[in-house]
């Protein structure tokens, strides 16, 4: 593996760019297979019927019968012309009893790199389109959900200095669109001098900068973040390691400036033939749209939907996980702590919790899954705190080569020091899915 391809794959492990907006995501979903040589594209169409005894997730329960039509897809490309992944799910949910407004339900993620000149010049296209909670204290109810789309694009240039050393430069421009909230334009870039230490490891010195300009500056302050750091990355048969250490600077318009530790660590190691453990650390100034590419470690059914928190903050995050996968059984566990200290206003948010996923193959055509999680949240400015318990049980069966069915149960309970925020809710659902390859 040459230095350029290794550096791109390792650098992409830390999501400093963003995610694609919906229109471009759908465009590349359809267009890329036309010219890619080594691609994998799978998709499905499904319909889901549901019963919920508390559609608005409130103390005063109202039941409803939602019906959702959705499509899911996954596209991967490792050709000489394109490298990357695009996956997601988009659905439209109708509440037949009229106790909630119908809603579009997107969850699309993409990272694509177009090699215009091999090992010299590439073009990146990254994006995200998903639902978020508009009020971070509120639940995942239809009335408290909006959409967020983040789009970044720009060139990557690499200039070899020797057989093992190169200079790389990146430039990015993008846009963040928030329904019922302030949008922003985003600009950034990165410069790195990297050297290959061995066939499986690299080290580099890096300078990165990004600027965010909000459309509504009456409530949100524009800011710039500059990072200087050293990076080391390696891959072995037993595990992977990526480490960035340096300093993070923030410059807030008409506000406080500051600097603090920048630390990013992402390591995993195989401890048995079937199991591996991992640890992720994140310290530094950041904002929600910049971290949009961070995917949950376990299925989202076991964790609350992300809450919108606009503005720059200093984040401290620790995530540890364990995965085990056998012929008939698989198990995943994660524990996390996340703190956001916002640079503007006395806002401090802390979340911590754990998620578990266990699945078993009951027969050649059927399997069952158990999902569980608990999330604790503390909001200093509002003097509020709550914790949410999640439980899910699924049973799925393949009916034919292309058709499968799934039935499941979900329960969620929220306990808070504010009694108005408390609730419990249960769901039953049944879905039919048609899978196909393009």
């Amino acid at each position: 593996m040459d230095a350029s391809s290794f550096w791109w794959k390792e650098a992409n492990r830390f999501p400093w760019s963003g995610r694609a907006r919906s229109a471009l995501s759908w465009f590349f979903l359809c267009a890329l297979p036309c010219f890619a040589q080594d691609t994998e594209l799978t998709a499905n169409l499904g319909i889901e019927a549901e019963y919920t005894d508390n559609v608005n997730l409130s103390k005063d329960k109202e039941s409803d019968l939602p019906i959702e039509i959705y499509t899911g897809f996954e596209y991967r490309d490792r050709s000489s012309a394109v490298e990357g992944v695009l996956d997601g799910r988009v659905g439209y949910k109708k509440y037949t009893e009229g106790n909630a407004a119908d809603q579009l339900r997107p969850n699309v993620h993409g990272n694509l790199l177009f090699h215009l000149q091999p090992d010299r010049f590439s073009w990146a296209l990254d994006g995200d389109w998903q639902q978020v909670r508009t009020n971070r204290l509120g639940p995942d109810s239809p009335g408290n959900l909006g959409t967020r789309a983040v789009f970044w694009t720009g060139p990557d240039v690499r200039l070899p200095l020797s057989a093992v050393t190169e200079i790389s430069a990146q430039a990015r421009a993008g846009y963040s669109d928030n329904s019922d909230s302030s949008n922003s334009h985003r600009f950034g870039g990165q410069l790195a001098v990297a050297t290959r230490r061995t066939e499986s490891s690299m080290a580099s010195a890096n300078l990165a900068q990004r600027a965010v300009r909000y459309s509504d500056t009456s409530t949100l302050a524009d800011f710039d973040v500059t990072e200087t750091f050293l990076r080391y990355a390696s891959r072995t048969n037993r595990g992977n390691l990526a480490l960035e250490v340096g300093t993070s600077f923030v410059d807030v318009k008409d506000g406080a400036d500051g600097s603090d530790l920048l630390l990013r660590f992402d390591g995993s190691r195989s401890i048995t033939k079937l199991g591996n453990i991992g640890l992720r650390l994140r310290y530094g100034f950041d904002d929600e749209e910049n971290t949009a590419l961070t995917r949950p470690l376990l299925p989202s059914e076991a964790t609350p939907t992300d809450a919108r928190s606009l503005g720059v903050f200093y984040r401290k995050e620790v995530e540890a996980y364990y995965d085990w996968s056998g012929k008939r059984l698989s198990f995943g566990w994660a524990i996390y702590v996340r703190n956001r200290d916002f640079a503007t206003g006395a806002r401090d948010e802390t979340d911590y919790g754990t998620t578990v996923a266990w699945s078993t193959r009951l027969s050649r055509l059927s399997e069952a899954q158990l999902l569980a999680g608990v999330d604790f949240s503390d909001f200093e400015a509002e003097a509020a705190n709550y914790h949410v318990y999640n439980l899910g049980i699924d049973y799925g069966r393949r009916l034919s080569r292309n058709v499968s069915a799934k039935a499941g149960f979900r329960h969620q309970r929220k306990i808070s020091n504010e009694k108005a925020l408390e609730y419990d809710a249960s769901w039953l659902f049944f879905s039919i899915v048609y899978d196909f390859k393009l």
Side-chain angles (χ1 to χ4, degrees), residues 61-357:
K61 291 187 174 183
E62 287 184 306
S63 62
D64 212 308
L65 298 170
I67 295 178
E68 181 177 7
I69 298 175
Y70 62 89
T71 179
F73 53 87
E74 181 177 355
Y75 166 80
R76 294 182 180 274
D77 195 340
R78 298 180 182 87
S79 68
S80 59
V82 185
E83 182 178 0
V85 60
L86 175 66
D87 61 359
R89 181 184 188 276
V90 179
Y92 183 81
K93 200 165 192 176
K94 180 176 180 59
Y95 295 87
T96 60
E97 298 296 311
N99 290 320
D102 300 345
Q103 58 180 173
L104 181 68
R105 295 165 54 85
N107 188 3
V108 179
H109 312 270
N111 302 102
L112 298 171
L113 186 68
F114 301 87
H115 300 295
L116 304 180
Q117 183 179 353
D119 299 329
R120 292 292 185 273
F121 182 68
S122 303
W123 196 276
L125 176 61
D126 306 313
D128 163 66
W129 181 37
Q130 64 176 320
Q131 278 189 319
V132 293
R133 287 180 288 148
T134 55
N135 178 356
R136 64 189 186 282
L137 293 178
D140 297 0
S141 61
N144 192 43
L145 294 177
T147 59
R148 179 185 65 198
V150 184
F151 164 75
W152 283 87
T153 188
D156 290 4
V157 179
R158 299 174 180 82
L159 300 175
L161 300 180
S162 69
V164 297
T165 304
E166 70 176 26
I167 295 178
S168 64
Q170 301 175 344
R172 296 289 187 270
Y175 186 75
S176 173
D177 180 87
N178 288 280
S179 62
D180 304 322
S181 186
S182 180
N183 304 325
S184 64
H185 291 87
R186 316 175 63 79
F187 310 93
Q190 181 168 272
L191 181 67
V193 179
T195 181
R196 187 176 65 226
R197 308 295 297 174
T198 66
E199 287 298 320
S200 60
S201 66
M202 290 197 71
S204 66
N206 304 262
L207 173 64
Q209 198 274 341
R210 63 181 179 275
V212 176
R213 302 293 181 260
Y214 289 103
S215 59
D216 180 9
T217 56
S218 61
T219 57
L220 293 167
D222 298 339
F223 64 89
D224 301 271
V225 173
T226 304
E227 299 173 340
T228 58
F229 57 94
L230 300 176
R231 176 178 174 81
Y232 175 79
S234 68
R235 289 187 174 187
T236 66
N237 293 332
R238 294 296 304 275
N240 303 321
L241 170 67
L243 174 65
E244 295 179 357
V245 179
T247 304
S248 183
F249 304 87
V250 65
D251 179 9
V252 182
K253 182 180 179 181
D254 300 327
D257 303 336
S259 63
D260 215 315
L261 169 70
L262 183 146
L263 172 63
R264 301 186 184 109
F265 174 87
D266 195 335
S268 64
R269 184 172 180 84
S270 300
I271 56 177
T272 67
K273 290 184 178 180
L274 302 177
N276 66 86
I277 58 174
L279 177 67
R280 293 186 177 95
L281 304 175
R282 301 287 189 275
Y283 286 77
F285 288 103
D286 226 324
D287 66 287
E288 192 174 74
E289 282 81 2
N290 188 58
T291 61
L293 283 180
T294 303
R295 302 296 298 272
L297 296 178
L298 294 176
S300 58
E301 291 90 343
T303 57
T305 305
D306 288 341
R308 179 177 298 147
S309 299
L310 298 177
V312 62
F313 52 82
Y314 185 77
R315 69 165 176 166
K316 293 177 283 187
E317 297 184 3
V318 180
E319 295 176 297
Y321 63 93
Y322 171 76
D323 293 317
W324 184 91
S325 180
K327 186 176 181 180
R328 298 181 65 89
L329 298 172
S330 63
F331 173 81
W333 167 82
I335 186 170
Y336 58 88
V337 179
R338 304 177 184 129
N339 176 266
R340 295 178 173 185
D341 186 3
F342 285 81
T344 55
R347 295 171 58 196
D348 189 80
E349 303 174 0
T350 302
D351 292 280
Y352 57 96
T354 185
T355 54
V356 175

